[in-house]
Structures are given as C-alpha cells and as structure tokens.
Amino acid sequence: MFHPLHTDIKPPERFTYPFYYEPHPLCLLAANEVQQHLQTMPLTEGKMFGVLVVASPLTATIGFLAAYSGLLCGRNDWPWFVPPVFDAQQPDGHFKVTERLIKNSPDHKQLSQQLQLWLFEQYRFLNAHGERKDLLHVWQDYHCSPRIRNRYPLPPGGTGDCCAPKLLQYAYSNGLKPLCMAEFWWGPSSRSCDESGMIRQHGQFYPACRGKCKPVLTWMLQGLDVDPNPEEQGLPQLDITVIYEDDTLIVIDKPSGLLSVPGRIGSHSVATILSSRYPGSLLAHRLDLWTSGLMVAAKSRDAYRHLQQQFSDHTISKRYVARLDTAYLSTTPSFPREGTISLPLLCDPLNRPRQVVDYERGKTAITDYRMLGPDLVALYPHTGRTHQLRMHCAHPDGLGCPILGDELYGRPADRLYLHAELLELTHPVTAQRMRFEQPAPFLDAPASA
C-alpha cells in the first residue's frame, strides 16, 4: 500500500486543509503515478481518487497511499489501494448475511434500521492522538445545530467510504505520518456527475466533500497541525464603481471578489459600502462573490419594493457574458449556437454553497444563451437561482462546459469569468425604461487559467 516517492521536493510545514486547498507538488507527483496506474485498470465509471503523502518513521522515507471513493467497479478490494475503514461487502460477513435474511421480512424497515445502526458502530475512526470514535458519535458530536440534526439525524449512506477517511485511517493504523493530501476525479468521460449529482470534471482536483466528510475529518484531523481555512482569512477590501445615481436609484459595478452582503467569510460587502455612503439604501438583488457586474440599489423603501416587484414579475432584463473553459470545449459534444436551458436546481444543505440538478425537488431555473464566439457566451437568466448560470454552463444537460475559473463546477483561474454586463429596468418614480451596460473587464484581457 505504501508507494515510495523519489524526489527532492520538500514536504509542507502543515497538513492540507482538505476543504479548500491547492494541491502540493508532492500530491501532484503522487496523483500522476496513480493516474498512470489507472491506465492499466478496466475502468468503466468515473470515480473520485485520493492520494495521501506520508512519512515512514521506520524507514525514514516519504511515499504515498492511494484510495478511491466507495466501490470501484463493484469492488472495494483492489490491490495497490488502501482498504475500506470497514468492509461491509464480504458475502459471509454479518452485514451481508443479515441483509439477505431480512430482505423479505415483514419487519424489513425496522430491521434494516437496526442493521444500519450496527454498521455505523463498526466504522471506528482514529485521529492523530490515537483516539477512536464510531461514526454515529462522530456525526452527532459534530452536528450540534438542531435544524441539521433534525433533518439528518443519522449519517448519509456511504459516509466514511470516501477517499480521505480511508487514507487517514490506514496511515494512523500503520504508524505513518500524514504530510499532505489531494483528491481528483478520474473517469472515462469529462461530462460526469458523482453519486450525489455534483458536477465533476475528468482530471480535476476537488476538496473533500463537506456533507459526508467534514464531520468525520474534523475528528480524524485532531492532533495534526493543519493549514488554516483560507475562507476564514478574509477578503481584500475592494470598492464599487457608481455607474448611475439619482434621488431614487444607485447602479453600481461590483468587482469579482466582493461580497454582495455580509456573509460567513466576511462583513465588507456592497451592502455595507452603500449603507455607509447612502444611509437607508437597500440592495435590490445579489451577485455571487466571484461574479462581477451591474447591481441596483434603492434609496428608499418604496423604491426598493418597486424594484423587488419588477424582479418578481421578471420585467427586469439582465444579460451576462461568460468565458467558457476551453480545456473542456474539445470534449463537449456540440450544442446549438443559441437556445434555452431549463434545469431545476437544489441546494444540498450539507454541502453549501454547491447546487445540484434535481428533477423531483429542484426549483425551476431557466436561462437563454447565445454563443458570441468560440468560448464566449451571452446568458439571459429568466430566474435567479443560486449558481444558476454556473450550473447551466457546467452541467452535462446544459452546455456541458464550465465557466473559466469556476472552482466549484470546473477548475480555478485568476477569477470567475462571469460578468453582469446589462441591466434594464423601469424607474420606480418616473416609469422611464432605463438601460445600463458595463463591458466585462476580461473581454480584452487574456485569460489566466
């Protein structure tokens, strides 16, 4: 399971913060070896793989461990990869035997719940202090919020079977010191979603999942010196540009990297800037943190209500421009030069702010689009769902090509190449139709992936 790394690259000073990171060069080296090994395997599905670079105190060498999420082609016993934390797939094991026995029982539901609770107790996770705790207690100790606890009283199926818990468990169990870690998606197609419906791109690195893994890893990382959460290090104090102002309205241009309203990662925002300059002003809508472009605010509550009604009635026209990531265009089946995308979106509360397409529970989200060039697209949203344009570009049932710089649904770049360039509305007082345009700052600048 331990694969030596022959390199002069120095390990990091602290372990990877697994939910927001740039892969360390040692992880890139290890991932390359895993990907070469995968070329020899009969893969038929896309899958998340992980590498954990470790030091062996016994041999004074550095190497890596490799893992895959869940089952790989129906198996969890592939050689070369670390084993599961607990193997529930053995045909003659307690779980499978009991599962078969209760399949046709009249008390199937109750017995299945009891079996599931038994299974949770078998997942006993180590941390760097050498302490153990079973999955049920890890989950309940982490989720103190009554809202989440009531909605998810038990861990989702598959919790503990992702790459990161497998890798850390094997390292701790075998006296290996974790140095850094990374996970990537690998599969036969770049137009992929994982088991939860989240968009994944072939060869792209991703953070550990928050829904299943954050409670487990919060426990397992205790005792390690871990990098701080970059999302809590603060954002630059960016400013807005006022495009238009009168006694009723303020139209501004928001830069990428400025919050619309105060959030969990900072308080400096468009709303607080406007509040300090225009006391009593109210922001009529929002843009994502990394989206730039036009926004409108009202100077009175009456004007705010008027604008809100226009948004509700879909009489405010908006146009965005986005640069698609050319790394994926070559593998994306051709789509019409213009058309309409309708994909219902749903937020996974355990993986905020990620959205998923859910045809049963999702909220209607509709976007018209028109290609402006080989990688440039104009987007006309009819609804205003969270991450609507990003998902409609990236999802295989949409354009199937993420926006350049989309860290959630594609890959990072120097910014998210999405800009709100046009806003057309009716003035709340004069009833005059007003049109504002602000070209995207990246149209004439070269993209930096």
Side-chain angles (χ1 to χ4, degrees), residues 289-322:
L289 168 63
W290 301 113
T291 302
S292 59
L294 294 172
M295 303 182 72
V296 61
K299 287 188 173 181
S300 69
R301 190 160 292 278
D302 285 343
Y304 171 77
R305 282 194 287 264
H306 195 286
L307 290 172
Q308 285 288 291
Q309 190 62 49
Q310 292 186 59
F311 277 110
S312 178
D313 294 341
H314 305 295
T315 58
I316 290 183
S317 298
K318 294 175 285 182
R319 183 178 73 228
Y320 293 72
V321 63

Side-chain angles (χ1 to χ4, degrees), residues 174-215:
N174 290 274
L176 301 170
K177 179 183 178 182
L179 300 176
C180 52
M181 181 169 59
E183 298 181 54
F184 62 91
W185 179 266
W186 193 261
S189 169
S190 63
R191 292 166 56 81
S192 302
C193 294
D194 66 8
E195 296 88 342
S196 65
M198 292 184 182
I199 295 173
R200 301 301 191 194
Q201 303 291 347
H202 178 71
Q204 177 63 40
F205 286 88
Y206 290 94
C209 68
R210 293 176 182 266
K212 294 180 181 180
C213 284
K214 195 161 189 184

Side-chain angles (χ1 to χ4, degrees), residues 35 44 63 114 271 300 331 381 402 448:
Q35 291 163 10
T44 58
Q114 293 175 356
S300 69
T331 58
S448 175

Side-chain angles (χ1 to χ4, degrees), residues 296-361:
V296 61
K299 287 188 173 181
S300 69
R301 190 160 292 278
D302 285 343
Y304 171 77
R305 282 194 287 264
H306 195 286
L307 290 172
Q308 285 288 291
Q309 190 62 49
Q310 292 186 59
F311 277 110
S312 178
D313 294 341
H314 305 295
T315 58
I316 290 183
S317 298
K318 294 175 285 182
R319 183 178 73 228
Y320 293 72
V321 63
R323 189 177 297 282
L324 302 178
D325 193 334
T326 56
Y328 301 108
L329 280 175
S330 61
T331 58
T332 300
S334 60
F335 45 81
R337 301 298 295 176
E338 57 183 65
T340 300
I341 302 167
S342 179
L343 296 175
L345 301 180
L346 181 70
C347 178
D348 182 351
L350 293 176
N351 286 287
R352 293 183 185 273
R354 287 183 178 272
Q355 306 293 308
V356 296
V357 170
D358 190 313
Y359 290 98
E360 294 182 359
R361 298 175 297 159

Side-chain angles (χ1 to χ4, degrees), residues 125-198:
F125 298 102
L126 285 162
N127 63 21
H129 293 305
E131 302 165 326
R132 288 183 186 268
K133 186 183 289 188
D134 69 58
L135 176 55
L136 189 59
H137 286 92
V138 166
W139 183 265
Q140 293 178 343
D141 289 347
Y142 178 83
H143 284 299
C144 300
S145 164
R147 180 176 63 87
I148 297 295
R149 178 77 71 86
N150 289 337
R151 189 169 182 180
Y152 298 98
L154 298 174
T159 302
D161 289 325
C162 295
C163 298
K166 288 182 180 181
L167 291 166
L168 287 170
Q169 186 83 354
Y170 187 87
Y172 293 149
S173 299
N174 290 274
L176 301 170
K177 179 183 178 182
L179 300 176
C180 52
M181 181 169 59
E183 298 181 54
F184 62 91
W185 179 266
W186 193 261
S189 169
S190 63
R191 292 166 56 81
S192 302
C193 294
D194 66 8
E195 296 88 342
S196 65
M198 292 184 182

